[in-house]
Amino acid sequence: MSTHAVTLRPRELRSHGAAVPPVLPGTGEAPHLWLVRTAEFRTRAREQAAAVLDRSEQERADRFRLPADRDTYLSTHLGLRLLLGAYLRTDPAEVALTRLPCPLCPEPHGRPAVEGNPVHFSLSHSDGLGLLAFAASPVGVDIEQVPPPEVAEEVGRSLHPREWDELRGYPTPERPEAFARTWARKEAYLKGLGTGLGRDAALDYVGTSAAPAALPGWTISDVEVDEARTAAAVAVRN
């Protein structure tokens, strides 16, 4: 059975003049999805990162070895803060970010959150793109590049046994795309749970086909980002 067969499309956040919804998503409403392109935000991110991002965000950005990866991180996090500021009617630099407790241990490395938890959000970035989700309940989002065949083969073995069996049933040229679709769904769900890959990727079945499989209490949807060889998904708790 499919949880959500409809592919969602994100709004694209522009560096200047973006129109932001006046209110946060309500209970039962679909999450708001936003796409951030590094090419659009690179200059603004470099100019404003020091003033808008907090110390931990800046320190993490500094650890990226490749400038392109650093720019994508900065652009996505600047986009996150601009949107949180707009949704919460506050200065983006004043948004106090924190981490919720991990469901698997007492350490504070669960889902990212705003202090006081007025909104649930998630972010992911990959190869010049950032994807952001905002919802009234726990949410996770992931964006992935379609990997080389050997990577899809190797990592695919760590999926749920049914997913691995399904992947082997695809024609060889189609397996990397099917893997990326499956992995994006799985990471989105695990981010929504707050465990990330601390939870075994083999435990939960999200499916490899065009429609995500059902998971109790969650809606999983594929996300269309209009980029070749890119897969994305969002998971929101019902």
Side-chain angles (χ1 to χ4, degrees), residues 157-202:
R157 298 174 184 273
S158 68
L159 296 173
H160 189 282
R162 286 175 59 194
E163 293 164 349
W164 173 232
D165 286 343
E166 290 172 7
L167 281 178
R168 288 184 294 174
Y170 281 86
T172 300
E174 297 178 15
R175 289 179 191 170
E177 185 174 347
F179 167 80
R181 179 170 61 238
T182 307
W183 192 259
R185 294 169 182 171
K186 193 171 297 280
E187 278 230 51
Y189 172 64
L190 296 177
K191 286 182 179 181
L193 289 179
T195 65
L197 291 173
R199 180 176 171 87
D200 189 345

Side-chain angles (χ1 to χ4, degrees), residues 17-236:
V20 178
V23 294
L24 290 163
T27 302
E29 294 182 356
H32 291 174
L33 296 169
W34 294 87
L35 186 69
V36 178
R37 298 184 187 274
T38 304
E40 169 82 14
F41 266 81
R42 180 184 291 111
T43 299
R44 185 174 181 182
R46 290 175 177 176
E47 292 173 347
Q48 298 185 356
V52 177
L53 304 189
D54 64 25
R55 178 180 295 181
S56 65
E57 290 171 303
Q58 294 180 47
E59 289 176 347
R60 184 169 181 185
D62 289 341
R63 291 197 291 269
F64 282 94
R65 183 172 57 86
L66 298 178
D69 293 338
R70 185 182 309 115
D71 284 339
T72 296
Y73 175 90
L74 290 173
S75 297
T76 304
H77 278 255
L78 178 63
L80 172 68
R81 282 188 168 274
L82 292 175
L83 286 166
L84 284 172
Y87 280 126
L88 301 174
R89 307 297 191 269
T90 190
D91 185 330
E94 298 300 319
V95 176
L97 298 179
T98 186
R99 283 276 183 174
L100 300 177
C102 173
L104 301 177
C105 70
E107 298 300 319
H109 52 77
R111 288 184 292 109
V114 177
E115 288 188 3
N117 213 22
V119 57
H120 298 274
F121 69 90
S122 182
L123 76 161
S124 180
H125 47 81
S126 176
D127 198 26
L129 296 173
L131 189 60
L132 308 170
F134 303 85
S137 59
V139 63
V141 74
D142 191 56
I143 186 167
E144 297 283 341
Q145 299 303 305
V146 175
E150 60 273 17
V151 174
E153 179 81 10
E154 179 181 356
V155 183
R157 298 174 184 273
S158 68
L159 296 173
H160 189 282
R162 286 175 59 194
E163 293 164 349
W164 173 232
D165 286 343
E166 290 172 7
L167 281 178
R168 288 184 294 174
Y170 281 86
T172 300
E174 297 178 15
R175 289 179 191 170
E177 185 174 347
F179 167 80
R181 179 170 61 238
T182 307
W183 192 259
R185 294 169 182 171
K186 193 171 297 280
E187 278 230 51
Y189 172 64
L190 296 177
K191 286 182 179 181
L193 289 179
T195 65
L197 291 173
R199 180 176 171 87
D200 189 345
L203 292 177
D204 307 293
Y205 175 77
V206 298
T208 68
S209 65
L215 279 172
W218 290 80
T219 296
I220 301 177
S221 305
D222 292 332
V223 178
E224 184 177 346
V225 296
D226 290 332
E227 290 288 334
R229 300 188 67 76
T230 302
V234 61
V236 61

